[in-house]
Amino acid sequence: MKSEAERLAIQWGLPVAIMLVAVAVRLFFSADKLTMIGITRGLVIGLFVGAMVNLALSDVVWLGDGARGALVGVAVVLAEDLIVALLSLGRQIRKHPEQLIELLLRGKK
């Protein structure tokens, strides 16, 4: 039983702690977003992305716990910018779908 608890602590406890620290670092560098909504958004996005990255990396056998934790931390710090960029790209495509079609057709030549 103890080994199972240790395994869960290493597999999820450490990455969750890293996620929370990464969210805090991210929030310290975005002082203009220190509202209740901004903090909640950063926390939710960070925990979601961190959990998904941790799940994806937990199947990689050759990756150690430290490297996995570092990758989770980096992903959480970059998560909000990447999600905002993807949402902006999606909004642009939705407003002007012809630009995407033109870009795809130009790429086939």
Side-chain angles (χ1 to χ4, degrees):
M1 187 65 136
K2 183 179 178 184
S3 65
E4 182 67 19
E6 288 176 357
R7 186 187 66 79
L8 281 175
I10 291 170
Q11 189 173 7
W12 282 102
L14 184 62
V16 167
I18 291 171
M19 287 179 226
L20 292 173
V21 170
V23 167
V25 167
R26 174 69 185 175
L27 289 174
F28 283 135
F29 282 104
S30 52
D32 58 327
K33 297 178 185 176
L34 286 182
T35 63
M36 193 57 150
I37 299 277
I39 292 170
T40 304
R41 182 181 67 199
L43 190 61
V44 169
I45 289 172
L47 290 176
F48 174 73
V49 170
M52 293 298 107
V53 170
N54 189 43
L55 277 174
L57 293 178
S58 65
D59 290 337
V60 180
V61 184
W62 53 267
L63 193 63
D65 295 327
R68 189 176 80 235
L71 289 173
V72 166
V74 169
V76 169
V77 169
L78 295 176
E80 191 172 350
D81 288 335
L82 292 175
I83 288 178
V84 168
L86 288 174
L87 288 173
S88 176
L89 178 65
R91 191 175 305 118
Q92 182 69 21
I93 290 171
R94 188 172 50 244
K95 286 181 181 178
H96 305 286
E98 68 277 357
Q99 290 178 349
L100 177 65
I101 293 170
E102 181 182 313
L103 180 68
L104 292 174
L105 291 176
R106 190 177 340 136
K108 288 185 176 182
K109 290 182 182 180

